[in-house]
Amino acid sequence: MNPETTKERWQLLAALREAVGVVQMILFKELRRRMARTRPDLDAAGLSLLAGAITNEIFGTQNPEEKFARFRNEHWGEIEQQLLALRDDLADLRPELTDALRIQTLCDHQQGKDSSDTLKRAEAFGFLLGNREIPLPSSFMASVRAVGERHNLIIPPLPLPPNQETPTVH
């Protein structure tokens, strides 16, 4: 493989992983918002810990720091209940979540890592949309951009003024 192709491939993988990260942020934000209503007994830190633990479970990215590992172990029952409820509670995010998990798995595969267990777990918990086709990179990026805009995490690009041909870098 020529060096230019390799560079372009890694750039694409980095962009796709960034888009997966946007979906993770949206999921975290929505979990925390929903649980603020259903779990008024939790303070802001507790809500963030729980939402973070659930997000990490979904994407197979455990935080090895002792504080977070202990929280996960002590609250596994509640984390599991939230994972089971995702199918219904955040149904509107299931398409983006499904796409992000599949893209993450494809990116991992390209980098020699097998993360297919993450997809199997999502399917077992019932929030993976099995009949959804894997998106092309461009359509995945476009859908993430759109959902990011709806959740105020991405600012849509502004058109250039007619008299400015190249973007200005600040």
Side-chain angles (χ1 to χ4, degrees):
M1 189 178 289
N2 83 41
E4 192 62 32
T5 305
T6 300
K7 180 182 175 187
E8 290 170 356
R9 188 173 116 207
W10 291 115
Q11 288 173 333
L12 175 61
L13 289 174
L16 290 171
R17 286 195 183 280
E18 190 173 323
V20 169
V22 170
V23 174
Q24 287 175 304
M25 287 188 292
I26 292 167
L27 178 65
F28 173 83
K29 179 183 157 191
E30 289 303 305
L31 284 167
R32 194 176 56 193
R33 183 184 60 78
R34 181 177 55 83
M35 287 186 301
R37 288 191 318 264
T38 62
R39 292 293 313 273
D41 57 309
L42 291 176
D43 62 5
L47 288 170
S48 291
L49 280 169
L50 187 54
I54 295 164
T55 302
N56 288 343
E57 279 303 317
I58 290 169
F59 285 91
T61 53
Q62 301 310 313
N63 189 330
E65 192 176 321
E66 197 232 321
K67 168 186 174 180
F68 299 108
R70 186 176 60 244
F71 182 87
R72 179 185 180 270
N73 289 336
E74 291 173 359
H75 295 89
W76 175 247
E78 182 164 8
I79 292 167
E80 189 174 39
Q81 289 304 311
Q82 294 292 335
L83 289 169
L84 289 167
L86 264 178
R87 177 187 180 116
D88 298 321
D89 292 349
L90 293 177
D92 58 322
L93 282 180
R94 285 179 67 201
E96 290 81 9
L97 188 54
T98 297
D99 292 350
L101 289 170
R102 288 180 172 161
I103 293 292
Q104 173 184 280
T105 301
L106 288 172
C107 289
D108 287 348
H109 179 75
Q110 287 296 310
Q111 294 177 313
K113 179 182 174 190
D114 180 13
S115 60
S116 59
D117 284 351
T118 303
L119 288 174
K120 291 174 189 168
R121 287 179 48 124
E123 189 172 30
F125 279 111
F127 57 83
L128 190 74
L129 295 172
N131 59 350
R132 189 169 173 82
E133 289 189 32
I134 297 173
L136 293 172
S138 60
S139 61
F140 175 64
M141 300 291 279
S143 71
V144 169
R145 191 174 302 116
V147 76
E149 288 175 22
R150 283 195 312 271
H151 288 270
N152 297 316
L153 288 177
I154 294 178
I155 300 170
L158 299 173
L160 291 175
N163 60 350
Q164 185 178 353
E165 292 180 18
T166 58
T168 303
V169 177
H170 297 280

